[in-house]
């Protein structure tokens, strides 16, 4: 016993050396410094330039945050329509199908059982199920800035001075889009058949909305309503009147 105690005490005094593995940290993606952008006119000519705010167009790409916000917004927009009935909600029952013994068949107490045709459903979808999740305001803002910065670095943002028209006219809107695609060097703005672009207006303009409404490859939205889901679903972003539009976006970030 004494020998065992001495051995235990000696082993306890030994120092255990732990090997620490050095984990290589992945470098952050390079962030482009916000610079000036060219503003085009509706005919494709240069109409000046604008200095881009760093909080909108120089944010790092955060794929995990963008994924979390997009999935959360899609869950919040989900409409639950599938609904099944439990055995207590279907019609029928009230009488034992046959007597308990003597028939040679399995015993049953109700034809509303889930194993019967026309019976209740076990663990089926219910309208009471809630898929909504909470998305913090700062998360939404950070995801929006991350997407805008990524699109700017990828050359997928076009600035135009005005898209206002005297009357709704799809032909004129199409000509404007072709001119912007040619001037900015982005032919897919016109040739892409699905999910081509978002036309972000500085303020509500019914004539402009109606002019672009017949084009199935793009959507028109006010810049104050831009969100991560729409930006990720569309390739290009056309911002009208950036002098007024960009301060509205910066205000959403709390800057």
């Amino acid at each position: 016993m004494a020998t065992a105690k001495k051995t235990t005490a000696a082993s306890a005094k030994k120092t255990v050396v732990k090997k620490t593995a050095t984990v290589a940290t992945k470098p952050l993606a390079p962030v482009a410094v916000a610079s000036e952008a060219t503003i085009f006119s509706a005919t494709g000519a240069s109409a000046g330039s604008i200095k881009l705010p760093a909080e909108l167009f120089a944010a790092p790409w955060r794929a995990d945050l963008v994924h979390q916000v997009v999935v959360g917004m899609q869950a919040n927009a989900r409409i639950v329509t599938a609904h099944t009935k439990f055995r207590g909600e279907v019609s029928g029952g009230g009488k034992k199908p046959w007597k308990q013994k003597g028939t040679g068949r399995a015993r049953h107490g109700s034809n509303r059982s889930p194993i019967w045709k026309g019976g209740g459903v076990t663990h089926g979808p219910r309208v009471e199920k809630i898929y909504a999740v909470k998305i913090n305001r700062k998360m939404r803002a950070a995801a929006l800035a991350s997407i805008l910065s990524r699109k700017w670095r990828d050359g997928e943002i076009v600035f135009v001075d005005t898209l206002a028209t005297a009357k709704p006219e799809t032909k004129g809107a199409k000509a404007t889009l072709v001119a912007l695609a040619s001037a900015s060097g982005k032919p897919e703005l016109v040739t892409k058949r699905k999910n081509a672009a978002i036309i972000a207006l500085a303020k509500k303009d019914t004539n402009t909305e109606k002019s672009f409404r017949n084009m199935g490859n793009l959507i028109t939205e006010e810049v104050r309503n831009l969100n991560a889901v729409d930006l990720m679903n569309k390739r290009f972003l056309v911002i009208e009147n950036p002098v007024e539009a960009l301060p509205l976006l910066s205000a959403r970030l709390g800057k």
Side-chain angles (χ1 to χ4, degrees):
M1 293 296 294
T3 306
K5 288 183 179 180
K6 288 182 180 180
T7 305
T8 305
S11 61
K13 291 180 180 179
K14 292 182 180 179
T15 57
V16 180
V17 180
K18 294 183 179 181
K19 296 181 180 180
T20 58
T22 58
V23 180
T25 58
K26 186 178 180 180
L28 294 176
V31 178
V33 179
S35 58
E36 290 188 354
T38 303
I39 302 176
F40 298 98
S41 65
T43 59
S46 178
S49 61
I50 184 172
K51 183 176 176 59
L52 302 180
E55 65 269 13
L56 289 176
F57 299 99
W61 173 243
R62 301 178 61 184
D64 53 348
L65 175 64
V66 172
H67 176 268
Q68 185 177 357
V69 171
V70 169
V71 172
M73 292 182 65
Q74 290 174 336
N76 293 340
R78 181 171 181 174
I79 300 176
V80 183
T81 56
H83 181 74
T84 56
K85 294 182 179 181
F86 296 145
R87 61 181 296 167
E89 299 172 336
V90 296
S91 60
K95 180 182 178 182
K96 188 175 176 64
W98 49 74
K99 64 180 183 177
Q100 184 81 351
K101 296 179 179 293
T103 63
R105 291 181 291 182
R107 53 193 175 187
H108 289 285
S110 173
N111 59 5
R112 294 192 295 182
S113 170
I115 64 177
W116 279 64
K117 181 180 178 180
V121 177
T122 305
H123 305 302
R126 303 279 293 184
V127 294
E128 294 89 357
K129 185 173 179 62
I130 299 175
Y131 294 94
V133 296
K134 183 177 183 250
I135 306 175
N136 295 331
R137 180 183 60 82
K138 291 185 178 179
M139 291 174 58
R140 290 177 184 266
L144 180 63
S146 181
I147 297 173
L148 288 174
S149 301
R150 179 64 179 268
K151 283 188 173 295
W152 169 247
R153 289 194 291 271
D154 292 344
E156 297 175 352
I157 298 181
V158 180
F159 297 96
V160 58
D161 57 352
T162 180
L163 294 173
T165 57
K167 60 179 181 178
E169 186 182 15
T170 304
K171 181 179 179 180
K174 181 70 173 180
T176 299
L177 205 62
V178 171
L180 290 176
S182 177
S184 61
K186 300 172 178 58
E188 291 185 353
L189 190 61
V190 178
T191 60
K192 199 171 188 301
R193 300 187 63 182
K194 293 182 179 180
N195 303 326
I198 301 178
I199 309 296
L201 306 178
K203 57 184 178 181
K204 185 173 181 60
D205 189 337
T206 305
N207 290 338
T208 304
E209 292 176 358
K210 290 182 178 180
S211 298
F212 288 96
R213 188 168 57 186
N214 290 335
M215 302 181 190
N217 61 342
L218 54 84
I219 61 173
T220 306
E221 188 62 84
E222 292 182 56
V223 70
R224 64 186 178 90
N225 295 330
L226 287 179
N227 58 79
V229 174
D230 289 341
L231 289 175
M232 292 299 293
N233 284 336
K234 300 295 184 291
R235 174 75 179 277
F236 297 100
L237 172 63
V238 179
I239 300 180
E240 183 223 18
N241 193 1
V243 177
E244 295 184 8
L246 296 187
L248 294 176
L249 286 175
S250 297
R252 292 184 58 182
L253 302 183
K255 301 295 183 181

